[in-house]
Amino acid sequence: MRTFLILTATLAVLTTTQAWTPASAYRRSVSSSAATSSSTALAMQSRQAFFQTAAAGVASALLLEQSAWADETAVKLPSGVSYVVKKQGNGPQAEVGELVAIRFAAYVNDGQNKLDDIFDTPEPYYTRVGSGGLVKGVEEVLPMMRLGDRWVLTIPGDMAFGKKGRPSSAGKPRIPGDAVITFDLEMVGLPGKEQELIELIGDD
């Protein structure tokens, strides 16, 4: 959805750019200096109109983007954790004790400060569901997800780093107590249930 809206804004700018060109601004050739001044004035007006129209197109696309995100329904769990489905997968679900591969990005303070981001790393992060290796809010949601799902979680402080937060360390920023964490989470691998791996390795 975000990509479509950005392309819409770009198309609006390109369409307007084609409408405003030096040829259209100086279509009428004149010989007198007075006529030249008139053409220059027209060109400046066309330039101003170009920027106004382009700005309006981009603004409209951004408003559409905000509306689209606002329309996405957040599901709130009894624990206080809520999630929005960003991409729906069609693979199997993970069960407690199974190994899963995930990619994620975590933010604090409404996305202003990035805590971690492994979407572009060579390898995903491997963890066993229910092992307690991740914050409680993520551990709660993992068994609900399917392979291929990408969810954006909003995790309250008591399901994240608690009242103590986390002190800063090398490469890791400080997390204040009771901080709400935004967790962009994607399940990218489920080695025990991926049919291609089962056929390759064999299932004894």
Side-chain angles (χ1 to χ4, degrees):
M1 177 63 71
R2 296 173 66 92
T3 303
F4 169 75
L5 292 167
I6 291 171
L7 287 173
T8 301
T10 304
L11 180 59
V13 173
L14 289 175
T15 303
T16 313
T17 304
Q18 291 174 353
W20 180 78
T21 61
S24 62
Y26 294 98
R27 189 176 292 114
R28 297 180 180 178
S29 59
V30 292
S31 56
S32 65
S33 59
T36 302
S37 298
S38 177
S39 296
T40 302
L42 287 173
M44 293 180 66
Q45 291 177 359
S46 298
R47 184 181 180 85
Q48 183 179 10
F50 157 69
F51 284 116
Q52 289 175 345
T53 306
V58 174
S60 297
L62 290 176
L63 286 174
L64 284 172
E65 179 181 7
Q66 292 173 358
S67 299
W69 281 102
D71 289 342
E72 291 182 329
T73 303
V75 178
K76 190 167 185 178
L77 304 175
S79 64
V81 175
S82 63
Y83 66 87
V84 171
V85 178
K86 193 172 182 180
K87 184 181 73 174
Q88 190 167 8
N90 57 4
Q93 283 183 282
E95 297 179 10
V96 174
E98 289 187 319
L99 185 68
V100 296
I102 59 175
R103 289 193 179 276
F104 61 84
Y107 305 84
V108 68
N109 294 336
D110 296 328
Q112 296 178 15
N113 297 324
K114 183 184 291 187
L115 302 178
D116 205 350
D117 188 347
I118 62 166
F119 274 104
D120 296 323
T121 56
E123 293 291 332
Y125 179 82
Y126 289 89
T127 184
R128 290 198 177 274
V129 178
S131 65
L134 299 167
V135 297
K136 294 178 182 177
V138 176
E139 292 283 357
E140 179 185 22
V141 166
L142 274 178
M144 302 167 58
M145 298 180 69
R146 291 185 176 276
L147 180 62
D149 277 350
R150 184 170 179 176
W151 295 4
V152 178
L153 318 179
T154 301
I155 306 176
D158 61 334
M159 294 292 286
F161 294 91
K163 294 186 178 297
K164 292 184 178 180
R166 186 187 73 182
S168 61
S169 59
K172 295 183 178 180
R174 173 183 173 273
I175 301 175
D178 291 324
V180 175
I181 306 298
T182 300
F183 213 93
D184 187 353
L185 174 66
E186 182 176 15
M187 185 175 291
V188 297
L190 190 53
K193 289 184 176 178
E194 291 183 74
Q195 191 60 36
E196 291 182 1
L197 288 178
I198 292 173
E199 293 174 354
L200 179 66
I201 299 172
D203 187 4
D204 298 329

